[in-house]
Amino acid sequence: MGKKRDIQQINAIANEFHLRGELRDSFGEFIEEQKNLGYGGSLNAKRDFTYKELRQKAKEFLEDRGL
Amino acid sequence: MTVASVLKTPLGSQNNHNLEKIIPVITQSLIGEICHQVSFSYGDELKLHFGEMTPYDHPKLAHLLKGSWRFGARATPWIVKQGDRVLVVTSESDTDEETENAKVIVKQLEHKKLVDLTVDAETIHLILSFEDSYQLILEPDLQDDSGLAHWELFMPTEQILEVGPGYFWSCKSIHEPC
């Protein structure tokens, strides 16, 4: 429980896009919600995301916030 | 005030002692709060929401609520007990079925009042005790080299308390660079 690789990737991308504190937390929620809404990634059958897809989602996350 | 610079603590037995004493002080206001919601973030990270529940700021998350106190277990496995009975023990190698089962069981903490929070100075084991004799226990791997915190706590004061990796811990503004 608590998939280290997934959480590490979220942290790495959050650092790259300067998502700190609340924003980093919200980004993790955003990614999970994207999966729940059917906009998951291509990594596996659970619709997890590749690193490249997570970077793209980070851009969407920021654009949606108007940042 | 840069709380991190005051409280960021390196490895050392003296500092471990501080951790055991200071963390209950920092989290004192959390005791007595109700766990309104148990949720899971990306990577199946366990989140417990306490305090005032408000919508997320992000427009695509506005239908979701977050607590003014938010506990995140990061990638640390956890145990749920009720009295002497172990309800579930999670691990990094859990199957999808085991993960889904654990998610259902830990939901039993919803609507329970937190009655105590303790950290062991030597092992960094964390015990969150709830009413009706429930306990959520985290037993971090001090040798873990992932660079991730063992657990974190967002607080209504716009601060984040992070414990781990190893014996490191910090309490700083959520607006401060990582």
Side-chain angles (χ1 to χ4, degrees), chain B residues 3 17 37-38 57 64 67 69 83 87 92 109 122 126 143 149 155 158:
Chain B
V3 182
H17 186 65
Q37 179 177 284
V38 173
D57 294 334
L64 299 177
W69 293 89
L87 302 183
E92 174 77 13
L109 300 180
E122 297 303 320
L126 170 73
Q143 307 305 317
M155 300 186 280
E158 296 197 327

Side-chain angles (χ1 to χ4, degrees), chain B residues 4-174:
Chain B
S5 61
V6 177
L7 296 178
K8 193 143 193 173
T9 310
L11 174 64
S13 59
Q14 180 62 45
N15 290 321
N16 293 354
H17 186 65
N18 289 345
L19 182 147
E20 190 174 53
K21 288 193 169 179
I22 291 175
I23 286 182
V25 172
I26 294 172
T27 59
Q28 191 174 21
S29 301
L30 176 60
I31 306 303
E33 293 284 353
I34 304 287
C35 175
H36 294 296
Q37 179 177 284
V38 173
S39 68
F40 295 89
S41 188
Y42 186 66
D44 293 324
E45 179 188 354
L46 172 65
K47 297 278 184 77
L48 304 184
H49 300 254
F50 301 85
E52 184 183 359
M53 300 294 286
T54 57
Y56 280 89
D57 294 334
H58 194 281
K60 286 191 174 170
L61 299 175
H63 58 293
L64 299 177
L65 297 177
K66 61 178 179 177
S68 55
W69 293 89
R70 291 192 308 289
F71 172 83
R74 308 307 276 148
T76 304
W78 40 266
I79 298 164
V80 180
K81 292 174 69 178
Q82 188 179 25
D84 294 331
R85 199 159 57 104
V86 177
L87 302 183
V88 69
V89 179
T90 69
S91 80
E92 174 77 13
S93 57
D94 280 351
T95 63
D96 292 346
E97 187 180 351
E98 287 167 335
T99 296
E100 292 310 309
N101 182 51
K103 286 182 176 181
V104 171
I105 289 171
V106 73
K107 284 265 184 186
Q108 292 181 41
L109 300 180
E110 282 186 345
H111 314 302
K112 302 295 181 195
K113 184 190 292 184
L114 184 73
V115 295
D116 198 17
L117 182 157
T118 61
V119 180
D120 182 278
E122 297 303 320
T123 62
I124 316 295
H125 289 186
L126 170 73
I127 302 178
L128 298 180
S129 300
F130 295 84
E131 62 183 339
D132 297 337
S133 304
Y134 281 97
Q135 287 188 321
L136 175 71
I137 301 168
L138 271 66
E139 298 179 349
D141 175 6
L142 294 172
Q143 307 305 317
D144 178 70
D145 60 358
S146 68
L148 295 172
H150 304 312
W151 54 271
E152 64 185 15
L153 182 67
F154 287 86
M155 300 186 280
T157 51
E158 296 197 327
Q159 290 173 300
I160 177 172
L161 171 64
E162 291 181 293
V163 175
Y167 288 99
F168 283 91
W169 65 280
S170 65
C171 181
K172 59 191 178 187
S173 165
I174 58 172

Side-chain angles (χ1 to χ4, degrees), chain A:
Chain A
M1 183 60 81
K3 304 294 186 295
K4 202 175 290 180
R5 183 197 57 108
D6 293 343
I7 298 170
Q8 280 177 308
Q9 288 191 342
I10 291 288
N11 265 21
I13 288 166
N15 286 337
E16 179 184 345
F17 287 85
H18 308 290
L19 305 175
R20 300 188 176 103
E22 291 270 350
L23 272 180
R24 189 258 295 155
D25 186 49
S26 295
F27 179 55
E29 297 293 331
F30 174 81
I31 293 297
E32 184 66 10
E33 190 63 4
Q34 289 287 290
K35 273 178 65 177
N36 294 339
L37 293 173
Y39 304 117
S42 63
L43 182 67
N44 53 29
K46 289 174 61 186
R47 306 298 307 274
D48 289 325
F49 295 90
T50 65
Y51 196 83
K52 185 178 175 183
E53 288 167 344
L54 284 174
R55 288 189 82 254
Q56 183 57 40
K57 286 293 177 187
K59 292 175 187 171
E60 289 177 29
F61 175 80
L62 289 170
E63 285 167 7
D64 291 341
R65 284 190 92 246
L67 295 175

